[in-house]
Amino acid sequence: MLTLYGAQFTSRLLLGTAHYPSPECLQQAVEASGAQIVTVSLRRESARARTGQGFWALIEELGCRVLPNTAGCRSAKEAIATAKMARELFGTNWIKLEVIANDDTLQPDLFGLVEAAAALTEDGFEVLPYTTEDLSAAERLVAGGCAVLMPWAAPIGSARGLINKDALKTLRAYFPDTPLVIDAGIGTPSHAAEAMEMGYDAVLLNTAVAKAGDPVKMAQAFAKAVEAGRLAFEAGLIEPRDMASPSTPVAGTPFFKIDHAS
């Protein structure tokens, strides 16, 4: 059972809602994935004008927990303002906090992220920060009140998978009791399974499903991969070895002498 800020979920797969070919495809993909949390990007203009009502109605029909995000924000001030509008529009204290530093990599601005996270937590928000695998930033986010961390696997939409596995393993080991959700850069179901095998609590993705040839089938594939990875982690993976280890031990097995003369 996945627990985030006291709320429990049976699915460990979170889906974004952008880039789908059609609203119908989005709906079918979310249903096929079994996801119980979907992220929604909020722009100031749509919040003020209450535009896009058809899209919001579709999101409500899915029956999922809505996790608004501050995608596109370039400063702590902008992210804080967007989060407050999201709370008013969606009636939730949950916010996926994004403060972007670089237009090419969409890497998080860790300084602005920590600043915004502390301010929003003090204002009653339950913050899920999109961060990197940087350990010092993670420490400051947790100290600032974040009870969940969302480190990237790779740059958003890059589909490169877990590009810094050692650092991600260190982060997992350093925060054994903090829910960690891999966010961004996942390209294949095997990437998602690998993250779950490392002990991460959930995976959030968008592009790998939305831009697949068949988003509905890909959503199903990711759902199964996340479940398989979690089961493998819970079962206990064997450690890799440099040398072979026979599945049938030689010691203690009988040997029979063959008499070729008979």
Side-chain angles (χ1 to χ4, degrees):
M1 188 73 71
L2 174 65
T3 302
L4 303 175
Y5 284 107
Q8 294 188 323
F9 305 92
T10 55
S11 173
R12 294 178 180 271
L13 176 61
L14 291 68
L15 280 186
T17 55
H19 306 303
Y20 286 85
S22 68
E24 293 75 21
C25 182
L26 165 61
Q27 185 173 25
Q28 292 170 10
V30 172
E31 291 172 349
S33 73
Q36 296 169 304
I37 302 173
V38 295
T39 63
V40 176
S41 176
L42 181 71
R43 298 292 183 177
R44 291 185 183 183
E45 292 78 12
S46 63
R48 287 199 187 104
R50 293 294 194 271
T51 58
Q53 291 297 335
F55 176 75
W56 306 138
L58 172 62
I59 296 300
E60 290 178 351
E61 288 177 9
L62 292 173
C64 298
R65 179 74 179 254
V66 174
L67 175 58
N69 67 48
T70 62
C73 292
R74 295 297 195 276
S75 68
K77 182 179 180 180
E78 186 180 6
I80 292 169
T82 302
K84 290 181 178 179
M85 285 186 285
R87 179 164 62 181
E88 179 182 350
L89 182 62
F90 293 105
T92 178
N93 286 326
W94 275 29
I95 192 71
K96 180 191 170 189
L97 180 62
E98 298 184 27
V99 183
I100 301 303
N102 183 278
D103 290 336
D104 293 322
T105 66
L106 299 180
Q107 179 172 334
D109 175 355
L110 299 180
F111 300 101
L113 186 68
V114 170
E115 178 186 347
L120 289 172
T121 298
E122 187 175 353
D123 194 28
F125 281 89
E126 293 173 322
V127 180
L128 294 86
Y130 164 61
T131 183
T132 68
E133 67 277 21
D134 186 272
L135 189 59
S136 61
E139 289 181 307
R140 284 164 174 77
L141 288 167
V142 171
C146 295
V148 179
L149 298 176
M150 303 181 76
W152 68 354
I156 294 172
S158 67
R160 294 175 62 191
L162 311 176
I163 61 174
N164 196 345
K165 297 177 186 179
D166 289 340
L168 288 171
K169 288 178 181 178
T170 299
L171 190 66
R172 176 69 284 179
Y174 201 84
F175 295 97
D177 301 320
T178 300
L180 301 180
V181 181
I182 288 290
D183 178 17
I186 295 295
T188 67
S190 60
H191 293 159
E194 185 176 17
M196 298 303 293
E197 289 172 358
M198 288 168 55
Y200 276 77
D201 296 280
V203 171
L204 192 160
L205 53 92
N206 186 174
T207 307
V209 170
K211 292 190 175 182
D214 187 331
V216 178
K217 284 187 177 179
M218 189 60 74
Q220 292 175 322
F222 270 105
K224 292 178 179 180
V226 167
E227 182 179 0
R230 181 65 185 185
L231 284 173
F233 170 73
E234 293 176 345
L237 299 167
I238 64 172
E239 293 294 328
R241 296 167 54 95
D242 292 328
M243 302 297 290
S245 176
S247 57
T248 302
V250 175
T253 58
F255 287 88
F256 299 95
K257 181 179 180 181
I258 299 176
D259 187 354
H260 294 283
S262 59

